[in-house]
């Protein structure tokens, strides 16, 4: 039988919704996809997913599942041709009239096509990502040396600008800078790192490059020159966060 003949409605057995619903499990699993009914029972063990993924759609209109392996991702033409050999009939309504492909799609099966699946906000995210522009969101990044975390920084980007830059951890040679108090040795360095965080607020991401010359960004504090601050560690931690990608959305 050629596939042209297989597509000929007259040649196909008429199957009602009730008949379809009888084949709703692993012993016998039929699925309606675009108004055609397929017996996929023998294909379930072969299908490259856990069986539940297939079983969920037995005995009903499975067009939505077929079109969305993952949201917006339909099956391949190769999968489509396998489907052809599993064809058992055409779906008909109570009036005996064929359930047309488009009706089937409307009937409880919201077919998402790849373009329409994106909301305008997601579309902007996609395009920003394609252009290599950082996405707005919450980020976490670290600078480590020989497996030891020295800088662990969190920040948000809003409209591509820094928002609430914060250190979760700041240490060097066993000194936990965040634990230092006024008067402790090294406290001025903590103050300088905090100046960096404050002064990045509201700035575009490219502002981190000023940290290669930290004296441009921080003050001399109690005899500690801004030029001695390890700005490159902060740059590295922030870039690590950007490389990891958005940790959570705002
Ligand atoms: C309707 C419910 C279905 C759902 C939710 C579903 C889901 C999926 C998922 C998630 C994958 C990707 C697996 C992976 O790459 O790890 C996949 C792949 C595949 N599925 Fe399905 N599937 C369904 C029905 C079917 C049916 C009825 C067939 C019979 C032909 C089939 C044939 C395939 C094939 C051949 C692949 C390999 C990738 C491809 O060619 O697209 N699926 N399916």
């Amino acid at each position: 039988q050629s596939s042209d003949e297989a597509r000929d409605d007259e040649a196909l057995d008429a199957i009602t919704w009730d008949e379809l619903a009888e084949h709703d499990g692993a012993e016998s699993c039929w699925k309606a996809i675009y108004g055609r009914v397929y017996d996929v029972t023998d294909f379930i063990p072969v299908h490259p997913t856990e069986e539940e993924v297939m079983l969920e759609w037995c005995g009903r209109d499975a067009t939505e599942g077929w079109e969305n392996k993952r949201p917006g991702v339909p099956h391949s033409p190769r999968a489509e041709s396998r489907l052809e050999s599993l064809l058992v009939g055409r779906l008909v309504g109570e009036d005996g009239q064929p359930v047309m492909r488009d009706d089937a799609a409307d009937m409880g099966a919201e077919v998402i096509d790849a373009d329409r699946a994106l909301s305008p906000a997601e579309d902007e995210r996609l395009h920003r990502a394609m252009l290599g522009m950082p996405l707005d969101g919450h980020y976490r990044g670290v600078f480590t040396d020989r497996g030891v975390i020295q800088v662990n920084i969190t920040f948000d980007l809003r409209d591509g600008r820094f928002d609430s830059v914060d250190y979760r951890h700041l240490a060097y040679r066993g000194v936990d800078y965040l634990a230092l108090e006024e008067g402790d040795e090294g406290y001025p360095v903590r103050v300088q790192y905090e100046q960096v965080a404050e002064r990045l607020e509201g700035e575009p991401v490219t502002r981190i490059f000023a940290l290669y010359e930290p004296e441009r960004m921080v003050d001399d504090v109690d005899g500690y020159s801004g030029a001695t601050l390890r700005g490159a560690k902060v740059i590295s931690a922030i870039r690590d966060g950007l490389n990891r990608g958005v940790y959570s959305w705002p």
Side-chain angles (χ1 to χ4, degrees), residues 31 33 38 40 43 47-49 53-54 56-57 62-70 74-84 86:
K31 292 179 182 179
I33 296 172
Y38 303 91
V40 304
F43 195 72
H47 189 262
T49 60
V53 175
M54 284 287 269
E56 191 193 331
W57 297 93
T63 311
E64 184 185 356
W66 177 254
E67 287 295 344
N68 299 278
K69 287 191 294 190
R70 293 191 308 284
H75 279 76
S76 67
R78 214 180 107 257
E80 211 166 305
S81 59
R82 296 203 72 149
L83 204 52
E84 212 59 53
L86 308 174

Side-chain angles (χ1 to χ4, degrees), residues 25-250:
E27 328 72 58
S28 180
C29 174
W30 289 9
K31 292 179 182 179
I33 296 172
Y34 288 119
R36 297 286 191 277
V37 179
Y38 303 91
D39 180 352
V40 304
T41 315
D42 294 338
F43 195 72
I44 293 175
V46 181
H47 189 262
T49 60
E50 306 265 305
E51 299 201 339
E52 293 78 69
V53 175
M54 284 287 269
L55 291 174
E56 191 193 331
W57 297 93
C58 299
R60 58 196 189 99
D61 189 328
T63 311
E64 184 185 356
W66 177 254
E67 287 295 344
N68 299 278
K69 287 191 294 190
R70 293 191 308 284
V73 182
H75 279 76
S76 67
R78 214 180 107 257
E80 211 166 305
S81 59
R82 296 203 72 149
L83 204 52
E84 212 59 53
S85 64
L86 308 174
L87 187 63
V88 291
R90 61 193 164 98
L91 192 60
V92 295
E94 278 174 26
D95 52 5
Q97 289 301 305
V99 173
M100 298 307 291
R101 293 181 165 223
D102 292 344
D103 300 346
D106 290 343
M107 232 177 268
E110 191 192 339
V111 177
I112 304 172
D113 81 38
D115 293 329
R116 268 185 290 151
L118 295 177
S119 70
E122 287 168 324
D123 193 48
E124 188 189 329
R125 281 177 190 168
L126 180 64
H127 285 97
R128 290 183 70 90
M130 281 166 56
L131 293 170
M133 296 162 77
L135 303 177
D136 281 1
H138 183 65
Y139 290 83
R140 295 175 161 211
V142 296
F143 171 80
T144 63
D145 189 36
R146 277 163 282 176
V148 178
I149 293 180
Q150 294 189 4
V151 180
N152 184 345
I153 201 164
T154 65
F155 55 95
D156 289 357
L157 292 184
R158 197 182 296 175
D159 298 326
R161 290 169 180 268
F162 284 111
D163 194 55
S164 55
V165 182
D166 230 329
Y167 300 101
R168 290 169 60 83
H169 187 68
L170 196 58
Y172 185 53
R173 293 197 172 149
V175 179
D176 177 355
Y177 281 90
L178 296 184
L180 295 180
E181 290 175 13
E182 208 163 344
D184 290 342
E185 193 184 329
Y187 181 75
V189 178
R190 172 186 178 168
V191 172
Q192 289 174 328
Y193 274 105
E194 278 167 356
Q195 286 177 351
V196 168
E198 279 163 28
R199 292 170 188 180
L200 284 174
E201 296 280 317
E203 296 288 338
V205 174
T206 48
R207 182 68 183 156
I208 60 173
F209 294 111
L211 283 164
Y212 283 119
E213 299 164 275
E215 67 277 13
R216 288 172 61 191
M217 209 140 140
V218 304
D219 307 330
D220 292 354
V221 181
D222 293 342
Y224 284 80
S225 150
T228 61
L229 187 87
R230 300 289 180 224
K233 294 180 182 179
V234 179
I235 298 172
S236 175
I238 289 174
R239 296 196 66 165
D240 177 62
L242 294 169
N243 283 341
R244 286 167 189 243
V246 173
Y247 181 81
S248 57
W249 302 104

